[in-house]
Amino acid sequence: MSSAPRIGLFGGSFDPPHVAHIALARTALEHLRLDELHWIPAGQPWQKARQLASGTHRAAMVQAAACGEPRFVLDRSELDRPGPSYTIDTVRALQAGRPEAEWFLVIGADQYLRLSSWRQWQELLLRVTLAVAGRDTAPPTLPPHDVSALPHRMERLPMAPVDASSTANRAHLAAGRPAAELAPTILTAEVARYIDRHGLYRSPPTPEPARS
């Protein structure tokens, strides 16, 4: 058996991170036998038109959500890199720093179906093993035609359904209701406290805090 470290990459806007994100991250840790799982908040996600909470806030919320699990790593690669956030750029940079590792890209079934719209996705298939989440009672997600035509490594992550939505969470908060009402079933208590303390997702938007 290879002794190379097994590293998972879990990207997203995490705006805010909620219990479904945590459930997927923990499933990836155990199912893929990962040594590390990097949570990678997007800097400027090119497929999202709406304004996100600041990178400082989203990184802090990921740190709060990931506390207590030493294999979870907050990775600021995309927040600190200027320009649009492309997964292939992140993977190249991280692999250059640790060429001995085995890399897994954790994505949802919906992302798998759209993979051929990603920047330089063909190279991505050569660099990582895809770890695709899907409901444990559903049949495996079939790859889109373009992706299935190319050889690639794919693991299925069986997930029980988790009723949590960042969109619904933001609507709840925009209505002036406290994040504490969403804990612990939708948000962790730590993330809810952070949102309420900083008044996130209210109108008008909360300004970004000063970086220390």
Side-chain angles (χ1 to χ4, degrees), residues 1-165:
M1 182 178 293
S2 171
S3 59
R6 296 167 67 88
I7 303 177
L9 305 177
F10 182 30
S13 56
F14 303 125
D15 194 32
H18 51 64
V19 294
H21 294 131
I22 298 169
L24 175 53
R26 292 192 179 280
T27 297
L29 275 183
E30 302 310 318
H31 187 81
L32 301 173
R33 306 183 309 282
L34 299 177
D35 297 294
E36 302 172 14
L37 179 74
H38 289 224
W39 292 63
I40 309 175
Q44 299 179 35
W46 61 275
Q47 290 181 319
K48 286 189 182 293
R50 67 175 178 81
Q51 181 69 38
L52 304 180
S54 75
T56 301
H57 282 314
R58 289 184 291 115
M61 287 188 288
V62 165
Q63 192 75 67
C67 68
E69 172 48 71
R71 290 173 292 174
F72 286 162
V73 176
L74 170 63
D75 190 317
R76 295 187 54 94
S77 296
E78 295 186 1
L79 294 176
D80 294 339
R81 187 172 65 237
S85 297
Y86 296 112
T87 300
I88 186 61
D89 294 336
T90 303
V91 169
R92 286 172 182 157
L94 292 173
Q95 289 184 338
R98 299 180 70 178
E100 80 287 359
E102 186 174 357
W103 298 86
F104 298 81
L105 181 63
V106 179
I107 58 176
D110 56 337
Q111 294 171 305
Y112 189 39
L113 294 175
R114 297 196 306 268
L115 192 67
S116 59
S117 70
W118 291 21
R119 184 184 181 94
Q120 298 177 346
W121 61 274
Q122 298 95 332
E123 180 184 343
L124 193 61
L125 293 180
L126 298 175
R127 287 181 171 272
V128 300
T129 296
L130 299 178
V132 182
R135 291 191 176 187
D136 52 9
T137 56
T141 301
L142 297 176
H145 174 72
D146 289 346
V147 175
S148 64
L150 294 178
H152 62 283
R153 303 178 300 279
M154 196 267 277
E155 295 264 1
R156 184 173 182 240
L157 299 178
M159 288 281 297
V162 180
D163 185 15
S165 161

